[in-house]
Amino acid sequence: MSGIALPMGRHTWRLQALPPLALYIHMPWCVRKCPYCDFNSHEAKGEMPEQAYLDALVRDLELALPAIWGRRVVSIFFGGGTPSLFSAAGLDRLLCDIRARVNLHTDAEITLEANPGTFEADKFRDYRAAGINRLSIGIQSFNPRHLKALGRIHDDNEARRAIEIAHRHFDNFNLDLMYALPGQTMAEASQDLRTAVAMESTHLSAYHLTLEPNTLFYRYPPELPDDEQSADMQEMVESALAEAGFDHYETSGFAKPGQYCKHNLNYWQFGDYLGIGAGAHSKLSFHDRIVREMRYKQPAQYMQQVAAGTPVHEHRQVSLDQLPFEFMMNLMRLTGGFLPQLFAERTGLQLTVVEQALQQAEQKGLVARDHTCIRPTLTGQRFLNDLLQLFLTEEPT
């Protein structure tokens, strides 16, 4: 039986207030597609149409303005692909165009994803001058053998140099690491982590390598550590980073106190985000509905559709049946949990609709709660899919 009890009279549903709004900007090109990557990224063959794409982004934003009119944007995230392939001058112009069109918070966090193979000291100095105040650097590993196996375009020396340049110009940056890599031992995973901690970044993202459909690794699987070895690596990551003074605040996110990623936190707290660019996703709330959208994925087709005034490829309204699961799918990633009243604020539903599911989760030891907080237990974090299953509604027959 489903643990969801939805109210009658759904036509009366309303949100009392809109959540915070973030802006995601997708930059789809990369130097070379990594064999594990299932993101919407495309190898740059020949000259990248930078100016045409930036013009399309501005037009895409203009077309979306009626949906976000009057709302303040609290963060911007340039994701990819490899956004650091774009020139600092180009991103400077884009940010100026964005500021002229939206109400950007004066203290907005503006993050740029960067590949160590694209680092140039002057370029990153100019990124900072343009207003980008946070980097997310795709290190993945400091081990040359593992970097080669992952198809990365940088080596371990370039990784270290990129971090040195980041320190020179940025107070706040994230390092992406992966573990359970092909042929990786516990000692090698631990060494990667010790090296990352020694680099003194403010934030670390540690991801378990998974074989995603539509990737080269999925079609030709490499030999990976088994489940037991992977679980041991995960425990090592969590304990080592706790000892180094990092808060484990989200499934894969670790940060020094006060340095949590504001943009990602908005995702996990079921906030809103407008996504522009090829294949970008949006989640937008209105007083009487919540919608999800996706832009056209192929860069050339996306630019054509923007020119035609129709960049949105998919648009759907989130049904009331889906809201509890979508909320929990995000909030249960936060190790510290959430305030009970946030459920009603972000979904427009009363917490009573998930009471049965929460009771089942408590009985299974997956959730702990009181009047101040609902949070996943350590077991709930380890078996997140089992926990989320409890909030799925049954499909109608």
Side-chain angles (χ1 to χ4, degrees), residues 33 40 55 61 72 78 113 128 160 204 213-214 231 244 272 305 314 332 339 359:
K33 183 85 170 178
N40 183 38
D55 290 344
L61 177 61
R72 176 178 287 184
F78 291 94
E113 285 188 340
R128 184 67 187 89
R160 291 176 170 83
L204 286 171
N214 302 315
D272 278 359
Q305 293 294 148
E314 296 178 6
M332 287 299 179
L339 298 173
Q359 287 180 7

Side-chain angles (χ1 to χ4, degrees), residues 333-385:
R333 290 182 64 100
L334 297 176
T335 58
F338 60 93
L339 298 173
Q341 60 265 35
L342 193 65
F343 182 81
E345 289 176 13
R346 298 291 159 89
T347 67
L349 301 170
Q350 295 303 307
L351 191 62
T352 51
V353 305
V354 291
E355 177 59 31
Q356 183 181 344
L358 286 171
Q359 287 180 7
Q360 292 173 353
E362 275 190 296
Q363 291 165 4
K364 294 174 181 289
L366 302 174
V367 159
R369 60 173 174 153
D370 56 29
H371 66 285
T372 64
C373 184
I374 299 172
R375 62 175 180 82
T377 62
L378 187 58
T379 303
Q381 294 169 39
R382 292 279 191 270
F383 299 95
L384 186 58
N385 287 340

Side-chain angles (χ1 to χ4, degrees), residues 95-110:
L95 285 170
C96 287
D97 287 336
I98 290 169
R99 293 186 186 99
R101 288 161 176 79
V102 303
N103 179 11
L104 183 61
H105 197 292
T106 54
D107 206 19
E109 174 190 86
I110 304 177

Side-chain angles (χ1 to χ4, degrees), residues 204-341:
L204 286 171
S205 297
Y207 300 102
H208 184 297
L209 175 63
T210 54
L211 304 185
E212 301 289 354
N214 302 315
T215 66
L216 191 65
F217 272 3
Y218 190 82
R219 293 194 296 272
Y220 306 101
E223 187 172 344
L224 301 176
D226 62 28
D227 290 346
E228 185 176 346
Q229 291 171 311
S230 297
D232 289 343
M233 288 181 185
Q234 181 179 345
E235 290 181 13
M236 178 274 296
V237 167
E238 292 169 358
S239 61
L241 289 178
E243 188 176 332
F246 285 81
D247 295 338
H248 183 195
Y249 72 100
E250 181 268 323
T251 300
S252 304
F254 302 80
K256 291 296 181 72
Q259 300 291 345
Y260 297 3
C261 178
K262 295 176 184 177
H263 187 87
N264 286 349
L265 264 181
N266 187 54
Y267 286 152
W268 310 137
Q269 292 172 340
F270 210 48
D272 278 359
Y273 47 95
L274 170 66
I276 60 173
H281 291 255
S282 301
K283 178 243 171 187
L284 297 172
S285 299
F286 302 85
H287 287 292
D288 61 347
R289 67 195 185 282
I290 296 174
V291 300
R292 290 193 177 275
E293 294 180 342
M294 187 186 79
R295 267 50 178 174
Y296 283 87
K297 293 180 70 172
Q298 292 293 329
Q301 186 183 21
Y302 163 75
M303 289 187 281
Q304 291 169 357
Q305 293 294 148
V306 170
T310 54
V312 177
H313 184 224
E314 296 178 6
H315 173 100
R316 69 175 177 88
Q317 184 170 328
V318 181
S319 70
L320 295 192
D321 293 1
Q322 296 165 327
L323 276 174
F325 175 76
E326 291 209 7
F327 177 90
M328 294 298 178
M329 184 172 61
N330 289 279
L331 272 292
M332 287 299 179
R333 290 182 64 100
L334 297 176
T335 58
F338 60 93
L339 298 173
Q341 60 265 35

Side-chain angles (χ1 to χ4, degrees), residues 145-191:
R145 179 169 59 87
H146 295 143
L147 288 171
K148 186 175 181 180
L150 291 173
R152 302 297 290 172
I153 65 168
H154 67 275
D155 60 25
D156 54 318
N157 291 324
E158 287 174 309
R160 291 176 170 83
R161 179 174 173 272
I163 296 170
E164 290 172 7
I165 293 172
H167 266 299
R168 216 174 298 163
H169 303 291
F170 292 85
D171 299 324
N172 188 10
F173 62 87
N174 168 67
L175 302 181
D176 274 351
L177 289 179
M178 301 179 80
Y179 61 92
L181 305 178
Q184 188 179 44
T185 66
M186 176 64 82
E188 289 170 332
S190 180
Q191 181 59 48

Side-chain angles (χ1 to χ4, degrees), residues 38-72:
D38 69 336
F39 294 124
N40 183 38
S41 58
H42 306 265
E43 291 187 11
K45 296 174 181 176
E47 187 175 352
M48 190 175 65
E50 175 171 311
Q51 192 54 53
Y53 190 76
L54 294 176
D55 290 344
L57 289 173
V58 175
R59 180 61 181 146
D60 191 356
L61 177 61
E62 290 175 341
L63 292 166
L65 286 179
I68 62 167
W69 199 253
R71 298 181 65 180
R72 176 178 287 184

